[in-house]
Amino acid sequence: MNQTSERVTRAFDSWADRYDEDMRKSQYFSPEWIARHVYDLDGVPECRVLDLGCGTGINVKALCDLRTGIRADGIDVSTKMLEHARACNRYETLCTHDLNSRLPDIHSETFDLVIAFGFLELLADVGTCLSECRRVLRVGGTLWASFRRFEGGDDRSPPRQISLGGVTLIGYSADEILNMMSHLELRVTAFDTVVGYITEMGFPCPFYVLSASKTQ
Ligand SMILES: C[S@@+](CC[C@H](N)C(=O)[O-])C[C@H]1O[C@@H](n2cnc3c(N)ncnc32)[C@H](O)[C@@H]1O
């Protein structure tokens, strides 16, 4: 693990016990977004899910509340976050891994849904992670991914990079994200601009959230 990932791990290890409560207070986008997009999985009675940067398991818990047949695996760099994910009893397997590197021991074309929420902004190498998302999706499978919004031409946009407690967060423009999807040959079926969360100072932090399918 490089120094950056060690800082990220320390930050999330120390946040783990308060994370769910903080997300509730900050009106974190994902439970509501998932409720609006769960129909993407219609026609998949048994749905194999890979939850990347799974944290405490908020996203898989939301999915399991909405439908049956979810069989989820989770990956995260923070062992403390994984302890909470394990305690929620919604995952078949959970493992520790730095998502700046390729996924270990996961066969190609295994999952119906890959969730990449709330961590792509923390990666030094987002391209490697997204290409691994594509690799492990089955043909017909779905990627749900969130990105911090950065638009250079918009005076009100947050900056490209910010540093919070020694951790760097990187934003992407809609064009950059759509180019990445096109390069990966993933077909974008939804592209939403949402308030990712509201900071303690009351700033509504903008995110892009997409659904994309692997058609070939
Ligand atoms: C903001 S939380 C999001 C958790 C969950 N996906 C959600 O939407 O609630 C970011 C998560 O990504 C994990 N993470 C950050 N960088 C990572 C990396 N390089 N490899 C694996 N996990 C990482 C953190 O440990 C943390 O659990």
Side-chain angles (χ1 to χ4, degrees), residues 69-101:
I70 298 296
R71 292 185 52 201
D73 297 335
I75 295 179
D76 201 285
V77 77
S78 157
T79 51
K80 295 281 181 204
M81 294 294 258
L82 286 173
E83 280 172 18
H84 285 268
R86 197 162 288 116
C88 82
N89 277 323
R90 300 293 210 289
Y91 293 89
E92 293 187 0
T93 69
L94 285 164
C95 78
T96 314
H97 176 71
D98 180 353
L99 291 163
N100 284 296
S101 318

PDB file of all heavy atoms in Angstrom, residues 69-101:
ATOM      1  N   GLY A  69     -33.044 -11.742  -3.472  1.00  0.00           N
ATOM      2  CA  GLY A  69     -32.145 -12.367  -4.441  1.00  0.00           C
ATOM      3  C   GLY A  69     -30.794 -11.697  -4.565  1.00  0.00           C
ATOM      4  O   GLY A  69     -30.060 -11.967  -5.514  1.00  0.00           O
ATOM      5  N   ILE A  70     -30.452 -10.812  -3.625  1.00  0.00           N
ATOM      6  CA  ILE A  70     -29.139 -10.154  -3.685  1.00  0.00           C
ATOM      7  C   ILE A  70     -28.080 -11.071  -3.063  1.00  0.00           C
ATOM      8  O   ILE A  70     -28.238 -11.543  -1.935  1.00  0.00           O
ATOM      9  CB  ILE A  70     -29.171  -8.805  -2.910  1.00  0.00           C
ATOM     10  CG1 ILE A  70     -30.184  -7.840  -3.535  1.00  0.00           C
ATOM     11  CG2 ILE A  70     -27.771  -8.191  -2.822  1.00  0.00           C
ATOM     12  CD1 ILE A  70     -29.879  -7.400  -4.942  1.00  0.00           C
ATOM     13  N   ARG A  71     -27.021 -11.318  -3.835  1.00  0.00           N
ATOM     14  CA  ARG A  71     -25.863 -12.071  -3.307  1.00  0.00           C
ATOM     15  C   ARG A  71     -24.644 -11.175  -3.481  1.00  0.00           C
ATOM     16  O   ARG A  71     -24.136 -11.027  -4.592  1.00  0.00           O
ATOM     17  CB  ARG A  71     -25.670 -13.367  -4.090  1.00  0.00           C
ATOM     18  CG  ARG A  71     -26.782 -14.372  -3.870  1.00  0.00           C
ATOM     19  CD  ARG A  71     -26.450 -15.664  -4.592  1.00  0.00           C
ATOM     20  NE  ARG A  71     -25.122 -16.128  -4.244  1.00  0.00           N
ATOM     21  CZ  ARG A  71     -24.411 -16.971  -4.999  1.00  0.00           C
ATOM     22  NH1 ARG A  71     -24.892 -17.444  -6.127  1.00  0.00           N
ATOM     23  NH2 ARG A  71     -23.197 -17.352  -4.613  1.00  0.00           N
ATOM     24  N   ALA A  72     -24.205 -10.570  -2.366  1.00  0.00           N
ATOM     25  CA  ALA A  72     -23.205  -9.498  -2.481  1.00  0.00           C
ATOM     26  C   ALA A  72     -21.844  -9.886  -1.898  1.00  0.00           C
ATOM     27  O   ALA A  72     -21.756 -10.566  -0.873  1.00  0.00           O
ATOM     28  CB  ALA A  72     -23.718  -8.248  -1.769  1.00  0.00           C
ATOM     29  N   ASP A  73     -20.804  -9.405  -2.585  1.00  0.00           N
ATOM     30  CA  ASP A  73     -19.442  -9.435  -2.051  1.00  0.00           C
ATOM     31  C   ASP A  73     -18.985  -7.983  -1.911  1.00  0.00           C
ATOM     32  O   ASP A  73     -19.425  -7.122  -2.678  1.00  0.00           O
ATOM     33  CB  ASP A  73     -18.485 -10.156  -3.007  1.00  0.00           C
ATOM     34  CG  ASP A  73     -18.852 -11.619  -3.193  1.00  0.00           C
ATOM     35  OD1 ASP A  73     -19.493 -12.197  -2.293  1.00  0.00           O
ATOM     36  OD2 ASP A  73     -18.500 -12.178  -4.249  1.00  0.00           O
ATOM     37  N   GLY A  74     -18.108  -7.728  -0.946  1.00  0.00           N
ATOM     38  CA  GLY A  74     -17.644  -6.354  -0.735  1.00  0.00           C
ATOM     39  C   GLY A  74     -16.130  -6.295  -0.608  1.00  0.00           C
ATOM     40  O   GLY A  74     -15.485  -7.246  -0.140  1.00  0.00           O
ATOM     41  N   ILE A  75     -15.588  -5.158  -1.037  1.00  0.00           N
ATOM     42  CA  ILE A  75     -14.134  -4.917  -0.959  1.00  0.00           C
ATOM     43  C   ILE A  75     -13.916  -3.515  -0.422  1.00  0.00           C
ATOM     44  O   ILE A  75     -14.599  -2.577  -0.837  1.00  0.00           O
ATOM     45  CB  ILE A  75     -13.487  -5.032  -2.357  1.00  0.00           C
ATOM     46  CG1 ILE A  75     -13.602  -6.461  -2.892  1.00  0.00           C
ATOM     47  CG2 ILE A  75     -12.024  -4.587  -2.319  1.00  0.00           C
ATOM     48  CD1 ILE A  75     -13.007  -6.663  -4.272  1.00  0.00           C
ATOM     49  N   ASP A  76     -12.961  -3.381   0.489  1.00  0.00           N
ATOM     50  CA  ASP A  76     -12.637  -2.048   1.024  1.00  0.00           C
ATOM     51  C   ASP A  76     -11.209  -2.087   1.571  1.00  0.00           C
ATOM     52  O   ASP A  76     -10.702  -3.144   1.954  1.00  0.00           O
ATOM     53  CB  ASP A  76     -13.613  -1.663   2.145  1.00  0.00           C
ATOM     54  CG  ASP A  76     -13.665  -0.154   2.364  1.00  0.00           C
ATOM     55  OD1 ASP A  76     -12.712   0.402   2.947  1.00  0.00           O
ATOM     56  OD2 ASP A  76     -14.664   0.464   1.935  1.00  0.00           O
ATOM     57  N   VAL A  77     -10.582  -0.916   1.623  1.00  0.00           N
ATOM     58  CA  VAL A  77      -9.220  -0.846   2.139  1.00  0.00           C
ATOM     59  C   VAL A  77      -9.210  -0.724   3.669  1.00  0.00           C
ATOM     60  O   VAL A  77      -8.184  -0.995   4.309  1.00  0.00           O
ATOM     61  CB  VAL A  77      -8.466   0.324   1.467  1.00  0.00           C
ATOM     62  CG1 VAL A  77      -8.868   1.661   2.054  1.00  0.00           C
ATOM     63  CG2 VAL A  77      -6.971   0.140   1.488  1.00  0.00           C
ATOM     64  N   SER A  78     -10.349  -0.348   4.256  1.00  0.00           N
ATOM     65  CA  SER A  78     -10.385  -0.089   5.706  1.00  0.00           C
ATOM     66  C   SER A  78     -10.956  -1.290   6.464  1.00  0.00           C
ATOM     67  O   SER A  78     -12.130  -1.656   6.288  1.00  0.00           O
ATOM     68  CB  SER A  78     -11.245   1.159   5.975  1.00  0.00           C
ATOM     69  OG  SER A  78     -11.745   1.152   7.292  1.00  0.00           O
ATOM     70  N   THR A  79     -10.140  -1.874   7.318  1.00  0.00           N
ATOM     71  CA  THR A  79     -10.628  -3.040   8.071  1.00  0.00           C
ATOM     72  C   THR A  79     -11.737  -2.653   9.046  1.00  0.00           C
ATOM     73  O   THR A  79     -12.641  -3.438   9.305  1.00  0.00           O
ATOM     74  CB  THR A  79      -9.487  -3.728   8.855  1.00  0.00           C
ATOM     75  OG1 THR A  79      -8.805  -2.730   9.598  1.00  0.00           O
ATOM     76  CG2 THR A  79      -8.525  -4.437   7.957  1.00  0.00           C
ATOM     77  N   LYS A  80     -11.697  -1.437   9.554  1.00  0.00           N
ATOM     78  CA  LYS A  80     -12.753  -1.001  10.500  1.00  0.00           C
ATOM     79  C   LYS A  80     -14.087  -0.837   9.776  1.00  0.00           C
ATOM     80  O   LYS A  80     -15.138  -1.192  10.320  1.00  0.00           O
ATOM     81  CB  LYS A  80     -12.372   0.325  11.170  1.00  0.00           C
ATOM     82  CG  LYS A  80     -11.166   0.224  12.059  1.00  0.00           C
ATOM     83  CD  LYS A  80     -11.542  -0.394  13.385  1.00  0.00           C
ATOM     84  CE  LYS A  80     -10.317  -0.466  14.281  1.00  0.00           C
ATOM     85  NZ  LYS A  80     -10.429  -1.503  15.311  1.00  0.00           N
ATOM     86  N   MET A  81     -14.060  -0.269   8.582  1.00  0.00           N
ATOM     87  CA  MET A  81     -15.307  -0.167   7.815  1.00  0.00           C
ATOM     88  C   MET A  81     -15.816  -1.590   7.527  1.00  0.00           C
ATOM     89  O   MET A  81     -17.018  -1.858   7.641  1.00  0.00           O
ATOM     90  CB  MET A  81     -15.081   0.594   6.499  1.00  0.00           C
ATOM     91  CG  MET A  81     -14.724   2.056   6.658  1.00  0.00           C
ATOM     92  SD  MET A  81     -16.037   3.071   7.365  1.00  0.00           S
ATOM     93  CE  MET A  81     -16.710   3.892   5.948  1.00  0.00           C
ATOM     94  N   LEU A  82     -14.905  -2.491   7.173  1.00  0.00           N
ATOM     95  CA  LEU A  82     -15.322  -3.868   6.870  1.00  0.00           C
ATOM     96  C   LEU A  82     -15.928  -4.570   8.087  1.00  0.00           C
ATOM     97  O   LEU A  82     -16.818  -5.398   7.938  1.00  0.00           O
ATOM     98  CB  LEU A  82     -14.136  -4.673   6.321  1.00  0.00           C
ATOM     99  CG  LEU A  82     -13.728  -4.335   4.883  1.00  0.00           C
ATOM    100  CD1 LEU A  82     -12.440  -5.053   4.498  1.00  0.00           C
ATOM    101  CD2 LEU A  82     -14.835  -4.714   3.891  1.00  0.00           C
ATOM    102  N   GLU A  83     -15.471  -4.219   9.294  1.00  0.00           N
ATOM    103  CA  GLU A  83     -16.080  -4.835  10.497  1.00  0.00           C
ATOM    104  C   GLU A  83     -17.564  -4.494  10.558  1.00  0.00           C
ATOM    105  O   GLU A  83     -18.395  -5.333  10.895  1.00  0.00           O
ATOM    106  CB  GLU A  83     -15.393  -4.321  11.772  1.00  0.00           C
ATOM    107  CG  GLU A  83     -14.077  -5.014  12.063  1.00  0.00           C
ATOM    108  CD  GLU A  83     -13.316  -4.352  13.209  1.00  0.00           C
ATOM    109  OE1 GLU A  83     -13.929  -3.595  13.999  1.00  0.00           O
ATOM    110  OE2 GLU A  83     -12.093  -4.595  13.298  1.00  0.00           O
ATOM    111  N   HIS A  84     -17.893  -3.239  10.222  1.00  0.00           N
ATOM    112  CA  HIS A  84     -19.311  -2.839  10.234  1.00  0.00           C
ATOM    113  C   HIS A  84     -20.074  -3.546   9.118  1.00  0.00           C
ATOM    114  O   HIS A  84     -21.213  -3.979   9.311  1.00  0.00           O
ATOM    115  CB  HIS A  84     -19.438  -1.326  10.103  1.00  0.00           C
ATOM    116  CG  HIS A  84     -19.074  -0.596  11.362  1.00  0.00           C
ATOM    117  ND1 HIS A  84     -19.996  -0.267  12.318  1.00  0.00           N
ATOM    118  CD2 HIS A  84     -17.879  -0.178  11.836  1.00  0.00           C
ATOM    119  CE1 HIS A  84     -19.386   0.356  13.322  1.00  0.00           C
ATOM    120  NE2 HIS A  84     -18.092   0.419  13.053  1.00  0.00           N
ATOM    121  N   ALA A  85     -19.441  -3.645   7.943  1.00  0.00           N
ATOM    122  CA  ALA A  85     -20.104  -4.324   6.822  1.00  0.00           C
ATOM    123  C   ALA A  85     -20.385  -5.791   7.203  1.00  0.00           C
ATOM    124  O   ALA A  85     -21.468  -6.320   6.933  1.00  0.00           O
ATOM    125  CB  ALA A  85     -19.227  -4.244   5.578  1.00  0.00           C
ATOM    126  N   ARG A  86     -19.409  -6.408   7.858  1.00  0.00           N
ATOM    127  CA  ARG A  86     -19.578  -7.820   8.268  1.00  0.00           C
ATOM    128  C   ARG A  86     -20.742  -7.944   9.237  1.00  0.00           C
ATOM    129  O   ARG A  86     -21.560  -8.856   9.148  1.00  0.00           O
ATOM    130  CB  ARG A  86     -18.270  -8.307   8.901  1.00  0.00           C
ATOM    131  CG  ARG A  86     -18.144  -9.799   8.996  1.00  0.00           C
ATOM    132  CD  ARG A  86     -16.693 -10.242   9.213  1.00  0.00           C
ATOM    133  NE  ARG A  86     -15.860 -10.077   8.031  1.00  0.00           N
ATOM    134  CZ  ARG A  86     -14.813  -9.246   7.937  1.00  0.00           C
ATOM    135  NH1 ARG A  86     -14.429  -8.523   8.978  1.00  0.00           N
ATOM    136  NH2 ARG A  86     -14.121  -9.165   6.820  1.00  0.00           N
ATOM    137  N   ALA A  87     -20.847  -6.984  10.160  1.00  0.00           N
ATOM    138  CA  ALA A  87     -21.877  -7.044  11.205  1.00  0.00           C
ATOM    139  C   ALA A  87     -23.285  -6.895  10.622  1.00  0.00           C
ATOM    140  O   ALA A  87     -24.253  -7.308  11.263  1.00  0.00           O
ATOM    141  CB  ALA A  87     -21.623  -5.949  12.243  1.00  0.00           C
ATOM    142  N   CYS A  88     -23.404  -6.346   9.417  1.00  0.00           N
ATOM    143  CA  CYS A  88     -24.766  -6.167   8.877  1.00  0.00           C
ATOM    144  C   CYS A  88     -25.295  -7.449   8.237  1.00  0.00           C
ATOM    145  O   CYS A  88     -26.471  -7.528   7.883  1.00  0.00           O
ATOM    146  CB  CYS A  88     -24.850  -4.965   7.925  1.00  0.00           C
ATOM    147  SG  CYS A  88     -24.313  -5.285   6.233  1.00  0.00           S
ATOM    148  N   ASN A  89     -24.419  -8.450   8.072  1.00  0.00           N
ATOM    149  CA  ASN A  89     -24.866  -9.780   7.619  1.00  0.00           C
ATOM    150  C   ASN A  89     -25.508  -9.804   6.240  1.00  0.00           C
ATOM    151  O   ASN A  89     -26.365 -10.636   5.982  1.00  0.00           O
ATOM    152  CB  ASN A  89     -25.899 -10.366   8.607  1.00  0.00           C
ATOM    153  CG  ASN A  89     -25.206 -11.012   9.754  1.00  0.00           C
ATOM    154  OD1 ASN A  89     -24.149 -11.633   9.585  1.00  0.00           O
ATOM    155  ND2 ASN A  89     -25.777 -10.852  10.940  1.00  0.00           N
ATOM    156  N   ARG A  90     -25.101  -8.903   5.372  1.00  0.00           N
ATOM    157  CA  ARG A  90     -25.697  -8.889   4.024  1.00  0.00           C
ATOM    158  C   ARG A  90     -24.694  -9.350   2.962  1.00  0.00           C
ATOM    159  O   ARG A  90     -25.052  -9.433   1.799  1.00  0.00           O
ATOM    160  CB  ARG A  90     -26.157  -7.475   3.642  1.00  0.00           C
ATOM    161  CG  ARG A  90     -27.181  -6.872   4.556  1.00  0.00           C
ATOM    162  CD  ARG A  90     -28.513  -7.616   4.469  1.00  0.00           C
ATOM    163  NE  ARG A  90     -29.640  -6.759   4.721  1.00  0.00           N
ATOM    164  CZ  ARG A  90     -29.968  -6.250   5.905  1.00  0.00           C
ATOM    165  NH1 ARG A  90     -29.225  -6.506   6.957  1.00  0.00           N
ATOM    166  NH2 ARG A  90     -31.032  -5.475   6.021  1.00  0.00           N
ATOM    167  N   TYR A  91     -23.440  -9.629   3.348  1.00  0.00           N
ATOM    168  CA  TYR A  91     -22.413  -9.978   2.359  1.00  0.00           C
ATOM    169  C   TYR A  91     -22.019 -11.448   2.484  1.00  0.00           C
ATOM    170  O   TYR A  91     -21.912 -11.980   3.591  1.00  0.00           O
ATOM    171  CB  TYR A  91     -21.153  -9.120   2.558  1.00  0.00           C
ATOM    172  CG  TYR A  91     -21.354  -7.651   2.261  1.00  0.00           C
ATOM    173  CD1 TYR A  91     -21.778  -6.775   3.255  1.00  0.00           C
ATOM    174  CD2 TYR A  91     -21.113  -7.137   0.988  1.00  0.00           C
ATOM    175  CE1 TYR A  91     -21.968  -5.426   2.991  1.00  0.00           C
ATOM    176  CE2 TYR A  91     -21.296  -5.790   0.716  1.00  0.00           C
ATOM    177  CZ  TYR A  91     -21.715  -4.936   1.718  1.00  0.00           C
ATOM    178  OH  TYR A  91     -21.904  -3.601   1.455  1.00  0.00           O
ATOM    179  N   GLU A  92     -21.748 -12.086   1.331  1.00  0.00           N
ATOM    180  CA  GLU A  92     -21.221 -13.456   1.363  1.00  0.00           C
ATOM    181  C   GLU A  92     -19.729 -13.426   1.663  1.00  0.00           C
ATOM    182  O   GLU A  92     -19.235 -14.194   2.476  1.00  0.00           O
ATOM    183  CB  GLU A  92     -21.495 -14.151   0.025  1.00  0.00           C
ATOM    184  CG  GLU A  92     -22.981 -14.374  -0.192  1.00  0.00           C
ATOM    185  CD  GLU A  92     -23.308 -15.213  -1.408  1.00  0.00           C
ATOM    186  OE1 GLU A  92     -22.387 -15.665  -2.137  1.00  0.00           O
ATOM    187  OE2 GLU A  92     -24.507 -15.415  -1.644  1.00  0.00           O
ATOM    188  N   THR A  93     -18.985 -12.553   0.967  1.00  0.00           N
ATOM    189  CA  THR A  93     -17.563 -12.417   1.280  1.00  0.00           C
ATOM    190  C   THR A  93     -17.194 -10.939   1.352  1.00  0.00           C
ATOM    191  O   THR A  93     -17.787 -10.116   0.659  1.00  0.00           O
ATOM    192  CB  THR A  93     -16.649 -13.086   0.216  1.00  0.00           C
ATOM    193  OG1 THR A  93     -16.736 -12.343  -0.987  1.00  0.00           O
ATOM    194  CG2 THR A  93     -17.020 -14.522  -0.051  1.00  0.00           C
ATOM    195  N   LEU A  94     -16.204 -10.662   2.192  1.00  0.00           N
ATOM    196  CA  LEU A  94     -15.689  -9.300   2.331  1.00  0.00           C
ATOM    197  C   LEU A  94     -14.178  -9.399   2.340  1.00  0.00           C
ATOM    198  O   LEU A  94     -13.629 -10.290   3.012  1.00  0.00           O
ATOM    199  CB  LEU A  94     -16.174  -8.683   3.644  1.00  0.00           C
ATOM    200  CG  LEU A  94     -17.653  -8.248   3.651  1.00  0.00           C
ATOM    201  CD1 LEU A  94     -18.141  -8.026   5.070  1.00  0.00           C
ATOM    202  CD2 LEU A  94     -17.865  -6.984   2.816  1.00  0.00           C
ATOM    203  N   CYS A  95     -13.512  -8.533   1.609  1.00  0.00           N
ATOM    204  CA  CYS A  95     -12.055  -8.588   1.686  1.00  0.00           C
ATOM    205  C   CYS A  95     -11.416  -7.213   1.619  1.00  0.00           C
ATOM    206  O   CYS A  95     -12.014  -6.249   1.147  1.00  0.00           O
ATOM    207  CB  CYS A  95     -11.465  -9.546   0.655  1.00  0.00           C
ATOM    208  SG  CYS A  95     -11.388  -8.900  -0.978  1.00  0.00           S
ATOM    209  N   THR A  96     -10.196  -7.164   2.151  1.00  0.00           N
ATOM    210  CA  THR A  96      -9.425  -5.923   2.194  1.00  0.00           C
ATOM    211  C   THR A  96      -8.571  -5.837   0.936  1.00  0.00           C
ATOM    212  O   THR A  96      -7.865  -6.796   0.605  1.00  0.00           O
ATOM    213  CB  THR A  96      -8.466  -5.938   3.413  1.00  0.00           C
ATOM    214  OG1 THR A  96      -9.186  -6.378   4.537  1.00  0.00           O
ATOM    215  CG2 THR A  96      -7.892  -4.573   3.674  1.00  0.00           C
ATOM    216  N   HIS A  97      -8.659  -4.710   0.261  1.00  0.00           N
ATOM    217  CA  HIS A  97      -7.851  -4.546  -0.951  1.00  0.00           C
ATOM    218  C   HIS A  97      -7.800  -3.062  -1.299  1.00  0.00           C
ATOM    219  O   HIS A  97      -8.777  -2.345  -1.092  1.00  0.00           O
ATOM    220  CB  HIS A  97      -8.488  -5.339  -2.102  1.00  0.00           C
ATOM    221  CG  HIS A  97      -7.781  -5.158  -3.405  1.00  0.00           C
ATOM    222  ND1 HIS A  97      -6.530  -5.691  -3.650  1.00  0.00           N
ATOM    223  CD2 HIS A  97      -8.133  -4.485  -4.537  1.00  0.00           C
ATOM    224  CE1 HIS A  97      -6.157  -5.352  -4.875  1.00  0.00           C
ATOM    225  NE2 HIS A  97      -7.104  -4.625  -5.426  1.00  0.00           N
ATOM    226  N   ASP A  98      -6.675  -2.613  -1.859  1.00  0.00           N
ATOM    227  CA  ASP A  98      -6.529  -1.236  -2.333  1.00  0.00           C
ATOM    228  C   ASP A  98      -6.975  -1.180  -3.793  1.00  0.00           C
ATOM    229  O   ASP A  98      -6.355  -1.788  -4.668  1.00  0.00           O
ATOM    230  CB  ASP A  98      -5.058  -0.807  -2.192  1.00  0.00           C
ATOM    231  CG  ASP A  98      -4.827   0.614  -2.675  1.00  0.00           C
ATOM    232  OD1 ASP A  98      -5.759   1.234  -3.245  1.00  0.00           O
ATOM    233  OD2 ASP A  98      -3.704   1.109  -2.476  1.00  0.00           O
ATOM    234  N   LEU A  99      -8.051  -0.445  -4.047  1.00  0.00           N
ATOM    235  CA  LEU A  99      -8.662  -0.425  -5.383  1.00  0.00           C
ATOM    236  C   LEU A  99      -7.880   0.396  -6.398  1.00  0.00           C
ATOM    237  O   LEU A  99      -8.311   0.538  -7.542  1.00  0.00           O
ATOM    238  CB  LEU A  99     -10.114   0.052  -5.282  1.00  0.00           C
ATOM    239  CG  LEU A  99     -11.019  -0.970  -4.585  1.00  0.00           C
ATOM    240  CD1 LEU A  99     -12.331  -0.329  -4.130  1.00  0.00           C
ATOM    241  CD2 LEU A  99     -11.302  -2.156  -5.492  1.00  0.00           C
ATOM    242  N   ASN A 100      -6.713   0.925  -6.012  1.00  0.00           N
ATOM    243  CA  ASN A 100      -5.806   1.486  -7.013  1.00  0.00           C
ATOM    244  C   ASN A 100      -5.147   0.372  -7.820  1.00  0.00           C
ATOM    245  O   ASN A 100      -4.545   0.633  -8.857  1.00  0.00           O
ATOM    246  CB  ASN A 100      -4.733   2.354  -6.358  1.00  0.00           C
ATOM    247  CG  ASN A 100      -5.290   3.704  -5.942  1.00  0.00           C
ATOM    248  OD1 ASN A 100      -5.711   4.491  -6.781  1.00  0.00           O
ATOM    249  ND2 ASN A 100      -5.321   3.953  -4.638  1.00  0.00           N
ATOM    250  N   SER A 101      -5.224  -0.862  -7.317  1.00  0.00           N
ATOM    251  CA  SER A 101      -4.621  -2.006  -8.030  1.00  0.00           C
ATOM    252  C   SER A 101      -5.731  -2.908  -8.562  1.00  0.00           C
ATOM    253  O   SER A 101      -6.864  -2.854  -8.091  1.00  0.00           O
ATOM    254  CB  SER A 101      -3.782  -2.871  -7.091  1.00  0.00           C
ATOM    255  OG  SER A 101      -3.040  -2.078  -6.238  1.00  0.00           O
TER     256      SER A 101
END
